[in-house]
Amino acid sequence: MSVNNILLVVRRISLALVSLSFSVGAYQIPNGVPDPMKTWLPDNYTGEAVDPINGIAPKSWEAASQLGLPAYYIDASDPNATNTNNTFGSPDKPRSTIPEITYEAGSYVEIHGGPYNGGGQIIFTANGTPDKPVWFRGSSELDKAIITGETVVKGHYVIMENLEFIGQKLGFRSKNSSYLHHAVIRNSKFSSDGEVASSSSSVIGVKGRSDQRFHDIIIYNNEIHSYGKSFIETDPALGATTENDYHGIKVTTNVDRAWILKNNVYNVGGDSIQIGNASVKDADRTKGTYIADNDFYENLENGVDVKATDETLIIGNRIWGFLRHKNNSSTGAAIIIHSKAMNTWVVNNYIYDSATGVAATDSSLETWVIGNVIKDIKHPAWQVDWAGGLYEPGSAIHFRGGSTGGAINNTIINYDKGVEAASGQYIFSNNILFNRNAELGKDLYVESSQSDNTVKNNLVYSDDGFSVQEKNVNCTSCLHPNSGSFELLADEAISSTSIALASGMSIQNYLDKYKDVFGTELSKDIYDGTRIKGGIDIGAVENQSSEDSSVVNADITLPIAAEIVNVKSIETKID
C-alpha cells in the first residue's frame, strides 16, 4: 500500500472517530453556522432554556412524573392499554393512542411500540416554553416509537425525538391557520418502500404563512430514505426514470431560520433537501436556512436544490452519487442553485462522484462557492456531445443565466470540465484544478471574451497526459506546474514545500461579506484547520504548518513565472 493510501485510510478512521465522538457527546455547531441559541429565547426573556440540540429529556415517564410534569404514557401493545378514564396513562395502565390535544408547557409524552396512525393523521399543539418544552418522544434512540400517520405539529417550543416514521410524513406546516416556531425533530428515522411517488411531496415539510411566518426550526440527526424511487440501480442510458419529486426535506416559503444538521438523506425520488419554490412573492421568500454536516447521496435528482430564497448556507456536508439520466435534465447535480436565489454560500463541502458539482443559474445573485473539495465529476457515458456546449454536465463548478458570485479556494480533482461560466461578472481565484479527466474538456472556460471576470491565483495541473485548457480567461498570477512537479496529499492538502503555499490572493473581503450575511465568522477550512494561517494558500485545505504572517489582509505578490521552479507558461485561447 502506498504512503498516500495509508494516509487516506488514517484520515477516514479519524473522521469516523470524530463522528462517533459527536454522536455520544454534546454536538458542536460547525464553524461558520449561526448558533440557534441566539434566537431561541424571546426578547427580554431572562430564564433558563433547554438546548434544542443537546438538551436532555427527563430520563423516563417516572422521572417526569416525579418532577411534577404532565406525563403521558402510550403503549398500544400492552394488554392493559385503554383510553377510558385514562387521560395520561402510566406503565401499569398505558393509553392506547396518542392524545391529539394542546400540551401544556413541560408536558412529557412517552410513546412505546406502535404503529400509531391517528386515523390517518396525528395532529397536536405544543404550548411549551424555552425552559419547559413539550417532549414528544419514543422511550430511547434504540427503542423508537413507530408512526404510520402523517403528523402535523402546531404551537411552539416542542422537541420530537426517537420516532420511526414508516411511509409517512412530518408536517411543520399550518393546519387550520395554526402557527409554529421553535420546533425540533431529532434522532429519528423515516423510511418507505422506494416505489415511484404518485405526486410531489416531502418527508419533512416546513412551510409558514404569509401573515405569520414560521421561525427557528431544527432538523437534526435524522435518517431519511426510500421515499419515491431514486432509480439508483437503473442504467442512466435507458432514459427510464419517472418524475416523482419526493424530497427528503423541503423548507418552502415564509420561514425564517431553519437549521438542517447532521442528517442522512438518501435514495429518495427528488432532492435530499429543497429550499424554496420556483415562483414565489418576494415577501414570502424563506430567509436563513443553514444546511450543515449532512450526508446527501444517491437520489434521483439532487443533493441540495435552492430556489428563490435568501441567505442559504450549505456548509460542511458530504454530497455524492448523482447520476445524469437520459431524458431527465433535473438529474445529476450535487448542488443546484436557481430561480433567483439570493446570497447562497456553498462552503467547505466534500462533493464527489456526480455528473455536475455545483451549478448556479437563472439570475441567482451573490452565489459563492468557497473552500470545497470537488472530485470525480464526470459526464454520463451515454452523452457524446457533452464537451460541445456550456450547458452540458461534467463541470465541477458552473455559472450561467445572469448569476453573480464566484469560486474561491476550492480544490477540484479528476473532472471533465473545471470552472466554467456564461457571460457575466465572476471571481474565480485561489482554486486548485488537479487532473482533468477528458481531453475535450476545459479547465477554466468563460463563454465570451467580453465578460468582465476576475480570474487570479489559480493553480491548474495535469498529470494524465492532457494539456491545460483555458478559454476566454486572462488568468492573472496563475500557476501551471510541469507534469510530475506537483502533488496533493491524501487529504487533498498541499505539502509544506508546495508552490501553492502562500500563493493566493486576499480573501478577507469575502470573509467580511460572509460575516455581514450570517453574523458569524468563517475561520476554518474543510478539515477544521485555521482558514488563514500565514499567507493565503491556494486550494481548499490550508497548510497548518505555515508561520503566522502579517499578509492576511493583503494581496500576495507572486514571483514572476521564470523565478518559479517547475512552472510552465501556457497559451490561453481567446475567441
Side-chain angles (χ1 to χ4, degrees):
M1 181 180 288
S2 68
V3 172
N4 276 357
N5 284 338
I6 292 172
L7 289 173
L8 181 57
V9 170
V10 171
R11 180 70 193 175
R12 287 174 175 169
I13 293 172
S14 298
L15 289 173
L17 291 174
V18 169
S19 177
L20 179 63
S21 71
F22 281 156
S23 67
V24 299
Y27 182 72
Q28 300 177 23
I29 298 294
N31 171 254
V33 178
D35 184 352
M37 287 304 296
K38 290 187 176 180
T39 55
W40 208 251
L41 306 179
D43 292 341
N44 302 317
Y45 181 85
T46 57
E48 296 182 351
V50 173
D51 187 309
I53 295 174
N54 295 310
I56 300 173
K59 186 176 180 180
S60 63
W61 178 91
E62 290 84 357
S65 297
Q66 290 173 7
L67 290 170
L69 300 175
Y72 297 79
Y73 193 97
I74 301 102
D75 187 352
S77 66
D78 192 303
N80 295 320
T82 179
N83 293 339
T84 303
N85 298 320
N86 194 20
T87 300
F88 295 96
S90 67
D92 293 332
K93 190 170 74 171
R95 284 186 56 87
S96 58
T97 63
I98 298 170
E100 298 185 46
I101 60 174
T102 297
Y103 293 102
E104 63 182 285
S107 291
Y108 177 87
V109 185
E110 184 175 299
I111 310 165
H112 293 259
Y116 300 91
N117 67 13
Q121 283 187 319
I122 300 170
I123 302 171
F124 70 90
T125 301
N127 196 21
T129 59
D131 60 330
K132 292 184 177 180
V134 170
W135 294 97
F136 188 94
R137 64 194 301 267
S139 60
S140 73
E141 197 165 349
L142 297 177
D143 187 18
K144 294 180 172 66
I146 306 299
I147 307 295
T148 56
E150 180 192 11
T151 302
V152 180
V153 184
K154 307 177 183 181
H156 43 82
Y157 292 103
V158 55
I159 299 177
M160 305 174 69
E161 66 178 359
N162 304 338
L163 306 171
E164 182 171 355
F165 289 76
I166 298 178
Q168 280 296 342
K169 305 177 289 186
L170 173 61
F172 285 168
R173 61 178 177 84
S174 182
K175 179 76 172 180
N176 298 328
S177 301
S178 64
Y179 178 45
L180 183 68
H181 63 87
H182 296 95
V184 182
I185 175 69
R186 67 186 198 182
N187 306 330
S188 295
K189 182 177 180 179
F190 300 76
S191 63
S192 193
D193 57 14
E195 295 301 317
V196 173
S198 59
S199 62
S200 176
S201 191
S202 57
V203 184
I204 301 177
V206 186
K207 183 179 180 180
R209 293 165 38 190
S210 58
D211 62 335
Q212 200 166 35
R213 294 171 68 90
F214 289 12
H215 61 91
D216 296 284
I217 307 296
I218 295 177
I219 302 170
Y220 166 71
N221 196 34
N222 302 285
E223 180 182 6
I224 302 171
H225 70 90
S226 304
Y227 283 77
K229 187 168 184 176
S230 67
F231 291 91
I232 195 64
E233 302 296 335
T234 302
D235 183 354
L238 297 177
T241 62
T242 301
E243 194 82 9
N244 57 138
D245 252 4
Y246 214 130
H247 308 299
I249 300 167
K250 187 172 182 181
V251 183
T252 313
T253 53
N254 294 298
V255 178
D256 295 321
R257 298 181 302 277
W259 286 262
I260 293 82
L261 304 171
K262 201 188 174 190
N263 300 283
N264 190 10
V265 187
Y266 59 98
N267 290 169
V268 297
D271 311 313
S272 285
I273 180 167
Q274 180 176 309
I275 309 299
N277 279 339
S279 299
V280 60
K281 296 178 182 178
D282 286 347
D284 294 338
R285 290 164 67 104
T286 283
K287 182 176 182 180
T289 306
Y290 317 117
I291 306 165
D293 193 20
N294 301 282
D295 288 275
F296 298 147
Y297 56 98
E298 295 183 345
N299 307 319
L300 175 58
E301 295 189 3
N302 315 115
V304 183
D305 186 343
V306 180
K307 300 180 179 181
T309 60
D310 299 327
E311 298 179 12
T312 301
L313 175 60
I314 306 163
I315 184 169
N317 303 284
R318 283 78 51 194
I319 307 174
W320 76 92
F322 292 93
L323 305 174
R324 178 64 177 266
H325 288 266
K326 194 173 184 179
N327 302 325
N328 191 339
S329 61
S330 297
T331 63
I335 299 175
I336 179 75
I337 302 155
H338 50 153
S339 302
K340 300 178 176 60
M342 179 70 179
N343 257 318
T344 306
W345 292 68
V346 181
V347 180
N348 292 355
N349 300 283
Y350 200 97
I351 301 166
Y352 62 101
D353 282 348
S354 296
T356 299
V358 182
T361 75
D362 190 19
S363 300
S364 294
L365 305 181
E366 296 290 338
T367 301
W368 296 99
V369 184
I370 299 178
N372 304 279
V373 171
I374 305 175
K375 65 190 298 185
D376 300 328
I377 304 299
K378 300 179 181 179
H379 71 280
W382 55 262
Q383 190 167 21
V384 297
D385 60 348
W386 64 273
L390 183 68
Y391 305 101
E392 304 302 334
S395 57
I397 299 175
H398 176 103
F399 286 86
R400 72 171 188 266
S403 300
T404 64
I408 300 170
N409 275 103
N410 301 285
T411 295
I412 304 170
I413 305 168
N414 298 338
Y415 51 91
D416 287 350
K417 299 187 287 184
V419 180
E420 62 178 7
S423 299
Q425 295 183 338
Y426 305 103
I427 296 170
F428 302 142
S429 296
N430 294 4
N431 302 290
I432 291 176
L433 295 102
F434 185 88
N435 279 351
R436 193 175 74 250
N437 293 318
E439 185 174 6
L440 295 178
K442 300 286 190 299
D443 299 290
L444 293 168
Y445 173 39
V446 177
E447 187 177 40
S448 171
S449 60
Q450 304 304 311
S451 297
D452 185 16
N453 301 299
T454 299
V455 185
K456 296 181 64 177
N457 300 73
N458 299 290
L459 186 152
V460 187
Y461 175 79
S462 176
D463 201 23
D464 287 339
F466 301 132
S467 62
V468 171
Q469 295 292 320
E470 298 173 357
K471 184 175 180 181
N472 294 331
V473 296
N474 180 17
C475 196
T476 306
S477 299
C478 288
L479 304 176
H480 303 92
N482 291 316
S483 180
S485 65
F486 179 76
E487 67 175 355
L488 290 173
L489 303 180
D491 59 356
E492 295 86 29
I494 59 174
S495 71
S496 298
T497 59
S498 173
I499 61 171
L501 194 72
S503 292
M505 60 165 271
S506 172
I507 62 171
Q508 193 61 47
N509 287 342
Y510 309 104
L511 298 181
D512 292 343
K513 184 190 291 281
Y514 183 98
K515 186 174 181 180
D516 288 344
V517 173
F518 297 112
T520 186
E521 302 274 358
L522 180 61
S523 59
K524 301 292 186 179
D525 69 11
I526 187 171
Y527 291 135
D528 212 34
T530 301
R531 176 64 273 180
I532 300 176
K533 188 172 178 63
I536 301 163
D537 299 342
I538 297 176
V541 185
E542 184 79 1
N543 186 285
Q544 297 301 300
S545 64
S546 302
E547 296 295 330
D548 290 336
S549 171
S550 60
V551 296
V552 170
N553 297 313
D555 283 333
I556 302 299
T557 302
L558 294 178
I560 61 174
E563 295 176 341
I564 304 176
V565 178
N566 287 325
V567 175
K568 61 184 176 183
S569 62
I570 69 162
E571 182 177 345
T572 296
K573 182 178 179 182
I574 305 292
D575 285 350

